[in-house]
Amino acid sequence: MAVIGIMSALHEELAAVLAEMPGEQRVTVAGRDFWVGQWQGHAVVAVLSRIGKVAAATTATLMLERFGVDALVFTGVAGGLGPGVRVGDVVVASGLVQHDMDASPLFPRHEVPLYGRAIFETDAALSTQLAEAAHEVLQEADRHLGPDTWARWAWGSPQMHRGLIVSGDRFVSTATESQALREALPDALAVEMEGAAVAQVCCDYGVPFTAVRTISDRADDAAHTDFNRFISEVASPYSRAILAHWLAKRLTA
Ligand code: SAH
């Protein structure tokens, strides 16, 4: 049976995933707890990615080498950069760039040396499946979040976006910095700290990968506001619902 890997950036999101995997077994490697079990009839390995590119790349490599996952999905939160990308929206990556990679003048800015490219594309089929699942969940977002939460965050209708996500070893929390990112990478929809590293590892191994990020902030001077509350009340229920919808439709093989 194909093994599906799920990497979550934060503890609360992982907890929401593990709640769906009763009877999971813990396997500890390199200080990381990998949870091996089943979800909706699929063989699943779930793990906390840890924050930042190096930690996430190590975790991804272990997922592929030790646990032999056949597809890898990253769920987490991100800061919105694109014009219509608002808090509460979901972005499914079509490709990822390391925004802090700069080996110029030896290589063009953002290009990963010896790969001949800056953008690591996600798997098209996997991304389409996750985008469909995210779209379905957002159409009934209030049901997944509960009425109190929905009223408190006071959103209109959350949107699903597909496009470029950029990653770097920095929590982007000033308007100056997010503006600089928009200028350097005008297509970027969202910024986070792990995805592009995981995409590069999956490219090395030829394993399908995609990333799904709920927008927690606008990567500006208010980026820290209510971050933890947003994770528990919104991002974690979204991750769980999106993955559940996706797995329910995906054929076991
Ligand atoms: N408060 C958290 C730390 C969050 S670090 C804790 O105590 O664990 C930020 C995480 O959210 C990273 O995983 C990153 O990928 C993502 N993220 C959300 N908004 C971001 C932003 N504006 N800039 C960079 N990363 C962001």
Side-chain angles (χ1 to χ4, degrees), residues 9-11 49-52 74 76-80 99 168 170-173 191-195 213-214 216-220 223 227-228 231:
L10 302 166
H11 279 285
S49 102
R50 297 194 173 189
I51 293 171
F74 196 108
V77 290
H99 69 71
R170 211 156 53 225
F171 185 76
V172 179
S173 58
V191 57
E192 37 86 317
M193 301 176 67
E194 299 86 16
R213 294 275 187 170
T214 301
S216 55
D217 57 89
R218 277 290 300 175
D220 56 15
F227 187 79
N228 292 327
I231 305 294

Side-chain angles (χ1 to χ4, degrees), residues 189-247:
L189 297 182
V191 57
E192 37 86 317
M193 301 176 67
E194 299 86 16
V198 178
Q200 185 176 333
V201 171
C202 288
C203 166
D204 287 342
Y205 283 83
V207 168
F209 168 72
T210 200
V212 184
R213 294 275 187 170
T214 301
I215 300 303
S216 55
D217 57 89
R218 277 290 300 175
D220 56 15
D221 303 82
H224 59 284
T225 320
D226 280 344
F227 187 79
N228 292 327
R229 193 170 185 183
F230 182 87
I231 305 294
S232 60
E233 293 190 357
V234 182
S236 300
Y238 273 0
S239 291
R240 178 179 176 161
I242 291 168
L243 291 167
H245 270 64
W246 170 55
L247 290 173

Side-chain angles (χ1 to χ4, degrees), residues 24-36:
E24 76 276 21
Q25 302 284 310
R26 184 178 67 189
V27 181
T28 305
V29 187
R32 290 147 167 82
D33 291 334
F34 293 81
W35 300 92
V36 181

